[in-house]
Amino acid sequence: MSARALASLLWMVLLGAGRLRQRAEAGCSEGGRCCPGRDPTCASTGWRMDRVYGACFCDEACKLTGDCCYDYPQACPALPCIVGEWSHWSGCAEQCKPNIRMRRRYVKQEPKNGGEPCPPLEEKSGCLEYLTYQGQDCGHEHVPAFITTFEYSKERKRKALSPLWSSDTEEAGYCVEFKTESLSHHCTVENRPYARWMQYLREGYTVCVACQPPAMNTGNRHCSGDGLGANGNKVLRWQAVGNPRCQGTWRKVQQVEQCSCPVVHSFIFT
């Protein structure tokens, strides 16, 4: 074989090896493949990221299936979602009724190539407007009743004997009976010594809540959350002092002078 023929053969071998190497290294960069979502046609042939040779993919789903081409991270860099600032809170949807207010933010850049997804774009929050558009007070019956164990009334009496406690003549107070409609499970699992009284709150039971002078509003001589002006059709809210997650609803039965419920079902407004 002549020297020219040998050189030509050697060139053909090197060229073929180069093509084989180029084919073996083919990936996402070749042809600029980067596809959103799951796309089985977005494929190539070459080394995969798991060091297996064969069919590899350049779609976003390849990160989940583990069959991305070796150069996917470089050819298709992950871009996270970018959102704008929150808007101002909207006004309460209705006056004088518990309702919701909202705020929103918008997407400035959609996520690409498996980048961090977008966070929530909308938030809702409870709200209650206590005044009508004409400025009249209308939300007093929606104020939650903050309650604690009736045992605390003994502490109030002890304080009344102290010179630091007001010596002014005070009203006797009154009692409100409620029928419990619902309560959170946090009440029944409460086991801290000072808060075990919450375990006695039960759905469907009638409870008594005393309104004593220290908790009375100086203006109307009522306790907040006692359902002033509400009838038995109104669902009212209550919350246990000492555990804000122990809360629920009840309906007002009647207002009486003295509480007559069992001790475990007797509470006081705070």
Side-chain angles (χ1 to χ4, degrees):
M1 182 180 292
S2 66
R4 183 181 294 275
L6 183 61
S8 178
L9 179 61
L10 181 59
W11 170 252
M12 292 178 63
V13 171
L14 292 174
L15 181 62
R19 288 177 177 173
L20 287 173
R21 182 179 178 185
Q22 183 179 13
R23 182 181 178 187
E25 293 182 353
C28 301
S29 298
E30 183 184 355
R33 296 183 180 90
C34 284
C35 308
R38 184 180 297 276
D39 186 352
T41 66
C42 191
S44 183
T45 301
W47 290 103
R48 301 191 330 204
M49 292 179 65
D50 58 3
R51 299 182 181 180
V52 174
Y53 183 82
C56 61
F57 296 86
C58 304
D59 59 349
E60 289 181 318
C62 75
K63 296 183 74 174
L64 296 175
T65 54
D67 51 11
C68 297
C69 295
Y70 75 97
D71 64 342
Y72 179 80
Q74 293 76 35
C76 310
L79 298 177
C81 176
I82 298 178
V83 296
E85 297 293 327
W86 285 110
S87 67
H88 294 294
W89 283 104
S90 69
C92 201
E94 292 185 70
Q95 269 66 41
C96 307
K97 289 184 179 180
N99 217 296
I100 60 169
R101 56 178 182 164
M102 300 173 60
R103 66 175 182 173
R104 293 185 175 90
R105 56 185 172 184
Y106 297 93
V107 176
K108 301 175 71 174
Q109 174 183 281
E110 294 284 354
K112 292 182 63 177
N113 307 324
E116 192 73 21
C118 293
L121 302 176
E122 184 178 277
E123 276 191 349
K124 295 180 180 179
S125 176
C127 64
L128 176 62
E129 296 287 350
Y130 292 98
L131 297 176
T132 65
Y133 291 117
Q134 293 74 34
Q136 296 176 331
D137 185 4
C138 62
H140 59 270
E141 65 186 52
H142 297 292
V143 177
F146 292 97
I147 62 172
T148 189
T149 173
F150 194 78
E151 292 294 315
Y152 184 66
S153 65
K154 297 179 181 178
E155 179 67 20
R156 282 179 171 171
K157 291 177 181 178
R158 282 196 295 268
K159 286 183 178 180
L161 300 176
S162 168
L164 299 177
W165 191 259
S166 174
S167 59
D168 295 340
T169 302
E170 295 176 329
E171 298 179 21
Y174 56 91
C175 180
V176 185
E177 295 179 1
F178 297 96
K179 185 174 182 180
T180 308
E181 294 269 313
S182 66
L183 72 159
S184 64
H185 76 280
H186 298 286
C187 305
T188 57
V189 299
E190 180 60 77
N191 56 13
R192 291 174 293 176
Y194 68 87
R196 286 177 183 161
W197 60 271
M198 301 176 194
Q199 297 178 357
Y200 296 104
L201 289 160
R202 293 288 187 273
E203 292 183 5
Y205 279 49
T206 297
V207 298
C208 295
V209 187
C211 177
Q212 298 175 344
M216 283 184 175
N217 183 291
T218 56
N220 59 21
R221 310 306 295 172
H222 276 265
C223 291
S224 295
D226 70 347
L228 177 64
N231 55 34
N233 296 324
K234 289 284 186 180
V235 176
L236 306 171
R237 296 181 297 126
W238 58 267
Q239 179 177 312
V241 174
N243 183 355
R245 294 188 296 177
C246 176
Q247 54 184 282
T249 60
W250 55 24
R251 295 179 189 269
K252 184 176 180 179
V253 178
Q254 62 178 339
Q255 178 175 319
V256 294
E257 292 185 4
Q258 297 291 332
C259 292
S260 58
C261 298
V263 175
V264 292
H265 295 146
S266 297
F267 311 99
I268 60 172
F269 293 102
T270 60

